[in-house]
Amino acid sequence: MQTSIQVGRIIGIPIRLHFTFLFILFGIIYGFATLPATEYRIPMGLGGIEMDTFFRYFLSSIAAVLFFFTLLLHELSHSYVAMKFGTKIHGITLFFFGGVAMMEDIPKNPDKEWRIAIAGPLMSIALGGLFLLAYFGIKTLNLAVYRPVEILVFTLGFLNVALAFFNLIPAFPMDGGRVFRAFLAKRMPFLKATKRAVLVGKIFAVVMAVGGFIVDPFTFILTGEIITGNIWFPLLATFLYIAATEEENATITFSSLEGIKVKHVMRTERTSVPEDMPIVELVNKMLEEKTAEYAVVSENGELKGFITFDEIKKLSAEQRYRLKVSDVINSFDRMSEVISQEEEAAEALKRMMRNKRKVLAVEDTITGSIVGLITRRDLAMFMEMLKGRG
Ligand SMILES: [Zn+2]
C-alpha cells in the first residue's frame, strides 16, 4: 500500500509526506484558526475589529507550512552530515510523530553516529531560537495588530525547542538515544550497546505513556495547569516503543550475519528455469524441488529476471495453462539484484528489504557468470540456525 507521496527533492534527497503527517498539518491549522476570538482582535476603532475567518485560516496555514519546513530542516541536517560521511540517503519521510531520514547504512562508527544524530536537534534549537527572538522582537514593538503573528511565531519557536529537547532524551529511537548508543559503543560491543540504549528507550516510552496521560507536559510547562487524559502521549509512546524494538531486532539480525558472505548462504542448485517454460510445468517443478524462487534464463543462458511463487499465486487456473514464464517474469535491475558472491550476506538482506525482493542472483566476481541464488527464505533459515548455534 502506498502510504506516502513524494512532494519534492532537496540536495538530491526525495522528500515524502506520509498520510499521517496530514493530521499534524490540519491539527495545526485548526488549532490556530480556532483560538479564542480575543486573540485575533485587531484594535482599530471602538473595541477593535475581529479578524475574519479567512484570514485566520490563512495565517494558520502559514504556520503549518513553516512547521513542515522546520521539521524538514531537522531531517536534512541529519542527512547532510551523514552524506558528508559518505552515507547514501534514500529519502526523508515526514510522519505524524516527526520525520525519518532513510539512510543506506547508518555508520557503526560511534564518532560518526553521534555527529549525525546531534545535527538534527542542533538545527531545531537554532530554528527555535530564531523564532523566539523574532517573537520578542515583535513583542517589543508592542503593536497589538501583530498579536496573531506573535502567537504564530512563539508557537513555532516553542515547538522547535521542544522538538530539540525531546529528541535529546537519551532513549531510542530519539536522536539522543543514538548519541547514547554511540557513547556506549565506544566502551562495549555494538550489539550490547544497542540493547542497552533500546532498553532505556522502552522504559522511557512506558514512562511517557503513563506520565503524559496523567499530566500533559506541554500544558504544564506553558501554563502550569495540570491536565489529565491527553491520549497523544500514550499513542506517541507506542510508536516509540515499536521503533525501539525494531532497531533492536535489526541490529540483532545484522550482527548475527557479521562475517557471513553471500557465498556461504547462496543456493547453487535448483536455481534457474528457461524463459519459455509453461507455468504449469514450473508449478510442478516447484513442487518437486520444493523451491519457490528461480532465476529465469534465456536460451543462451542470459539472466532475464526472476520468478517466485508469489507471481504464480495470482494466476487463475486458465492462465497457468496458457502462460509461459516469460509472461509473468519479474522485471529486474542488474545493479541491485545481482550481487557478488564475496559480498556480505547482510548487504544482500538489505538490498532485498530495500527493493522488496525475495531473491537475488549471485555472480562470480571474476567471470561475472551467475553461480547461484540467495533468497530471503534461505537467509532467514540460516540466521535461525546461527542463533541455534549459540
Ligand atoms: Zn532527529
Side-chain angles (χ1 to χ4, degrees):
M1 192 175 69
Q2 185 90 8
T3 49
S4 55
I5 49 157
Q6 188 173 331
V7 290
R9 206 173 247 282
I10 300 175
I11 51 170
I13 304 169
I15 311 296
R16 292 188 205 93
L17 288 190
H18 193 254
F19 77 97
T20 51
F21 188 69
L22 296 176
F23 296 147
I24 286 291
L25 288 188
F26 289 127
I28 290 178
I29 293 174
Y30 182 78
F32 267 112
T34 54
L35 283 174
T38 47
E39 300 286 21
Y40 281 103
R41 195 163 290 275
I42 304 173
M44 279 188 281
L46 270 181
I49 51 167
E50 231 174 73
M51 196 180 284
D52 68 24
T53 315
F54 172 78
F55 196 70
R56 283 174 171 216
Y57 275 92
F58 173 70
L59 213 58
S60 347
S61 304
I62 292 178
V65 170
L66 283 174
F67 180 69
F68 160 77
F69 277 108
T70 58
L71 213 55
L72 192 57
L73 279 167
H74 175 110
E75 293 308 326
L76 279 171
S77 308
H78 289 306
S79 307
Y80 181 76
V81 178
M83 281 161 87
K84 284 266 165 200
F85 289 134
T87 299
K88 197 170 176 294
I89 314 290
H90 293 292
I92 290 175
T93 306
L94 296 178
F95 293 90
F96 100 98
F97 50 87
V100 176
M102 262 85 72
M103 297 180 194
E104 167 104 17
D105 229 338
I106 297 169
K108 277 193 182 175
N109 176 339
D111 290 321
K112 290 179 182 172
E113 192 184 22
W114 79 260
R115 285 183 169 86
I116 295 171
I118 204 86
L122 286 183
M123 173 58 91
S124 294
I125 287 182
L127 288 167
L130 279 178
F131 277 114
L132 291 179
L133 264 178
Y135 164 73
F136 289 116
I138 299 167
K139 211 174 161 65
T140 42
L141 290 175
N142 203 21
L143 296 170
V145 67
Y146 291 126
R147 182 70 187 137
V149 180
E150 246 175 49
I151 301 172
L152 185 155
V153 170
F154 176 79
T155 310
L156 283 169
F158 176 77
L159 282 178
N160 272 285
V161 172
L163 186 73
F165 281 102
F166 182 69
N167 261 304
L168 284 172
I169 295 169
F172 246 108
M174 258 80 73
D175 296 330
R178 294 189 185 281
V179 177
F180 181 48
R181 172 173 63 185
F183 171 81
L184 293 176
K186 294 198 88 156
R187 287 152 189 85
M188 59 183 80
F190 191 76
L191 181 60
K192 199 172 171 194
T194 304
K195 284 187 169 176
R196 287 225 182 143
V198 165
L199 180 65
V200 175
K202 286 179 174 175
I203 294 170
F204 171 74
V206 173
V207 170
M208 182 167 88
V210 178
F213 189 76
I214 297 170
V215 180
D216 173 359
F218 277 173
T219 314
F220 185 73
I221 292 167
L222 283 174
T223 64
E225 266 177 80
I226 292 178
I227 292 181
T228 299
N230 190 335
I231 192 74
W232 282 98
F233 287 94
L235 204 60
L236 184 60
T238 308
F239 275 100
L240 293 178
Y241 194 95
I242 293 169
T245 310
E246 277 174 2
E247 176 77 29
E248 186 173 27
N249 291 339
T251 309
I252 291 172
T253 300
F254 286 113
S255 52
S256 76
L257 284 177
E258 224 162 69
I260 308 284
K261 300 228 159 119
V262 166
K263 63 179 174 193
H264 299 134
V265 191
M266 72 177 178
R267 183 208 305 161
T268 51
E269 288 160 348
R270 298 168 284 121
T271 50
S272 68
V273 290
E275 59 179 335
D276 57 1
M277 182 183 253
I279 299 292
V280 249
E281 247 179 69
L282 174 67
V283 175
N284 286 334
K285 189 175 166 69
M286 283 180 163
L287 276 169
E288 211 171 286
E289 299 186 337
K290 294 167 197 69
T291 300
E293 313 87 357
Y294 290 96
V296 179
V297 290
S298 71
E299 228 171 286
N300 50 30
E302 192 193 339
L303 180 63
K304 290 297 208 179
F306 301 97
I307 188 144
T308 72
F309 190 64
D310 285 349
E311 282 84 45
I312 312 289
K313 265 193 295 198
K314 293 177 204 148
L315 302 177
S316 69
E318 183 270 325
Q319 281 172 316
R320 288 182 202 194
Y321 275 97
R322 186 165 46 83
L323 298 176
K324 279 192 266 175
V325 166
S326 54
D327 299 320
V328 277
I329 190 169
N330 254 329
S331 65
F332 118 100
D333 170 31
R334 179 161 276 276
M335 279 300 287
S336 60
E337 287 167 71
V338 177
I339 194 162
S340 153
Q341 58 176 347
E342 295 300 328
E343 188 68 78
E344 301 285 324
E347 171 61 24
L349 180 61
K350 267 182 229 162
R351 279 204 213 172
M352 285 190 261
M353 284 161 68
R354 192 163 68 231
N355 303 322
K356 299 191 175 69
R357 292 289 193 231
K358 291 190 168 165
V359 55
L360 299 179
V362 182
E363 69 175 358
D364 185 290
T365 325
I366 298 153
T367 63
S369 59
I370 303 299
V371 289
L373 285 187
I374 184 165
T375 68
R376 278 274 264 276
R377 197 192 305 261
D378 293 345
L379 254 175
M381 172 112 70
F382 194 84
M383 286 187 295
E384 280 300 315
M385 289 173 174
L386 283 175
K387 271 185 218 160
R389 198 177 56 173

